Amino acid sequence: MHKCILPWISLETTPIGGVRPCCLHTEEISGVDLTTDTLEDAFNSKGMRDLRRSFRRGEKPVGCKRCWLEENAGKKSKRQHMLKKFKHVKEDYSTNLGSKLQFLDLKLGNICNLKCRICGSWSSSKWAQEEIAQHGKKHIANHWFKQGQWPRKSRKFWKHIDTILPDIKYFEFTGGEPFLIKQHFDLLQRAVDRGLAKDIDIHYNTNATRFPKQHELWQHFKHVQIAFSIDNTGKRFEYERDGAKWRTANTNIDKINNLREQYPITTQLCCTWNIQNIYYLNDVLTWAETKNFNNIHFNLMHDPWEYSLTKIPRGAKASVISYLQKQQVVWSKYAADIHSLKEIVVFSRQEDSVDLIKKIRVTDLYRNQNFAETHSKIAKLIHYEK
């Protein structure tokens, strides 16, 4: 049985008010809208029952293809990570019904202060504003911009959260940028006020541009893991995460690392492999050594698909594989994940670079930037010129 525990205990809310079984699932749960429905409605929906039924049959659900891709390449998938994380949970996989929600992955809207190249209007209000300025209010970005306001409009959602809060053991907050979203801190305060915080773990994924004044709330929780999304360093970091400053990010990381002495906090570098950073991982890992993170986690870029390693342009694949082979010794302490980089490239489809170059160029022209100036090695590889 290719089992996954998440459909039985967890849900993810999307930045625009939909619900998915998890953050990697390719489809939202049909017919669920958090401006009118509750998480319980989603958890007991036909879509979730069908997903559980598929796992019980020993199938590999199509919506879970991102995990299957990673596993086929030798990378440990989210499915496998979650089975290990929740191994203490004695779940009954013999039923198509979930037991009770214990893990919530909450993307409470798309409020964000950055326009990261590997993001978009779906998850970033800044991206939405840029696309609306470019294409007008009839563009889909305007719809997503409005939909991203759902946490500030849905009383029903928050009323239901209060009823299930005693069962919740694990929160994950991503974005948008979670440190800019007031509603998530309000939720933490309610958990503290009700004496529930001591039994709850929290995981964050943050862009490192903010040090929240509400950080004192963290001292009341069982454990808080703060993952910093850093895929490159210096000018390349600032290019890839438009609006961010490398010096500010380092300052905030240091501040949060210092909290580990008094709060139940651990920190993590969360680095997402993508076409922009594949030749610069040495710089990222060398920098990471200076920050003394508790651990390093490697994500695989799935969307936007143009930046995915599975879409390495035709003619570039051999060069990337050769490079990775030479780096295996250097990256030996990360061997379990780094090895799978090569496998992912080997199994990737042959692609032309037209779509990738177009995506880079359109944004470069609007922002008056030049990918070839900051990412010269990759630009040469994919034959990019502004």
Side-chain angles (χ1 to χ4, degrees):
M1 177 180 176
H2 304 286
K3 68 181 180 180
C4 177
I5 194 172
L6 293 183
W8 277 266
I9 66 168
S10 174
L11 286 175
E12 180 227 23
T13 66
T14 73
I16 60 172
V19 183
R20 295 189 293 187
C22 83
C23 64
L24 289 184
H25 202 274
T26 59
E27 301 292 337
E28 292 187 6
I29 300 171
S30 177
V32 177
D33 180 347
L34 290 179
T35 60
T36 56
D37 300 309
T38 69
L39 290 174
E40 202 68 36
D41 295 330
F43 197 52
N44 295 321
S45 66
K46 181 180 183 299
M48 287 298 292
R49 296 197 306 272
D50 288 346
L51 179 61
R52 296 177 193 119
R53 184 179 294 110
S54 182
F55 273 113
R56 290 182 58 226
R57 290 172 177 166
E59 299 168 354
K60 291 185 174 182
V62 175
C64 304
K65 64 182 180 181
R66 289 169 175 168
C67 276
W68 312 134
L69 169 67
E70 295 189 10
E71 291 175 25
N72 288 340
K75 185 181 186 301
K76 194 171 184 180
S77 69
K78 184 179 182 73
R79 179 186 76 89
Q80 293 169 321
H81 277 295
M82 294 298 102
L83 281 170
K84 180 178 180 181
K85 183 176 184 64
F86 294 107
K87 63 183 179 181
H88 61 282
V89 176
K90 305 303 180 184
E91 188 53 51
D92 181 9
Y93 293 100
S94 66
T95 175
N96 297 329
L97 297 175
S99 54
K100 59 184 178 181
L101 281 167
Q102 301 177 54
F103 170 26
L104 291 180
D105 180 351
L106 299 178
K107 295 169 175 62
L108 297 173
N110 57 9
I111 293 175
C112 192
N113 57 329
L114 303 185
K115 299 177 289 186
C116 301
R117 291 287 180 135
I118 59 172
C119 192
S121 299
W122 193 73
S123 296
S124 166
S125 55
K126 283 292 185 181
W127 249 116
Q129 290 167 355
E130 179 172 303
E131 291 202 296
I132 293 167
Q134 283 182 281
H135 307 293
K137 292 187 176 181
K138 292 184 178 181
H139 192 272
I140 187 65
N142 190 47
H143 173 70
W144 287 338
F145 181 74
K146 293 177 180 177
Q147 288 295 105
Q149 300 170 22
W150 71 267
R152 303 187 293 283
K153 295 181 177 180
S154 180
R155 293 182 180 179
K156 192 172 184 179
F157 173 81
W158 294 111
K159 185 175 181 179
H160 179 248
I161 283 280
D162 282 337
T163 66
I164 65 173
L165 193 54
D167 294 326
I168 302 301
K169 302 303 178 187
Y170 186 82
F171 278 125
E172 188 162 306
F173 296 108
T174 55
E177 168 50 45
F179 291 169
L180 289 175
I181 298 176
K182 176 181 180 294
Q183 288 75 19
H184 115 263
F185 287 113
D186 292 341
L187 176 58
L188 298 191
Q189 186 65 64
R190 294 207 294 276
V192 171
D193 292 343
R194 295 173 64 180
L196 302 171
K198 65 183 184 303
D199 297 317
I200 298 175
D201 288 344
I202 302 174
H203 174 88
Y204 286 103
N205 196 293
T206 174
N207 62 31
T209 63
R210 289 292 186 272
F211 180 72
K213 62 182 180 181
Q214 303 95 328
H215 65 268
E216 292 183 358
L217 285 170
W218 294 336
Q219 65 185 303
H220 301 287
F221 286 82
K222 183 178 180 181
H223 177 242
V224 179
Q225 182 183 55
I226 300 175
F228 298 99
S229 289
I230 307 290
D231 306 327
N232 232 315
T233 59
K235 292 297 182 181
R236 288 189 293 272
F237 169 82
E238 293 179 351
Y239 172 92
E240 293 174 21
R241 299 188 178 274
D242 189 67
K245 296 298 181 184
W246 180 238
R247 179 180 293 182
T248 300
N250 277 269
T251 298
N252 290 331
I253 291 169
D254 290 341
K255 285 181 178 179
I256 290 178
N257 271 334
N258 290 337
L259 291 179
R260 291 181 297 185
E261 298 178 5
Q262 57 187 113
Y263 292 176
I265 288 176
T266 56
T267 59
Q268 178 186 77
L269 167 63
C270 184
C271 182
T272 299
W273 301 325
N274 66 88
I275 288 175
Q276 295 176 114
N277 70 356
I278 188 62
Y279 273 8
Y280 303 108
L281 287 175
N282 275 340
D283 293 342
V284 176
L285 296 175
T286 298
W287 165 79
E289 294 292 336
T290 70
K291 294 301 175 185
N292 194 30
F293 295 110
N294 293 100
N295 63 80
I296 295 176
H297 175 71
F298 296 103
N299 269 337
L300 182 62
M301 182 81 252
H302 291 288
D303 188 44
W305 58 266
E306 293 93 340
Y307 289 110
S308 169
L309 294 182
T310 63
K311 307 296 183 180
I312 292 287
R314 183 181 290 117
K317 181 185 290 189
S319 296
V320 173
I321 291 174
S322 175
Y323 172 74
L324 292 174
Q325 288 173 328
K326 293 176 182 178
Q327 297 302 317
Q328 282 183 348
V329 174
V330 178
W331 295 334
S332 59
K333 68 170 65 179
Y334 314 107
D337 275 322
I338 292 296
H339 173 71
S340 68
L341 273 175
K342 176 190 170 185
E343 300 305 316
I344 289 163
V345 175
V346 167
F347 287 116
S348 67
R349 294 169 54 194
Q350 295 286 345
E351 297 286 340
D352 289 317
S353 57
V354 175
D355 290 326
L356 173 62
I357 289 174
K358 180 180 178 181
K359 190 173 185 69
I360 294 173
R361 180 171 287 122
V362 166
T363 306
D364 270 1
L365 290 173
Y366 186 83
R367 298 180 184 175
N368 193 28
Q369 295 175 335
N370 189 349
F371 181 71
E373 290 181 358
T374 51
H375 296 67
S376 58
K377 293 180 182 177
I378 307 297
K380 184 177 181 181
L381 183 75
I382 64 175
H383 306 295
Y384 178 82
E385 295 180 3
K386 186 175 179 181

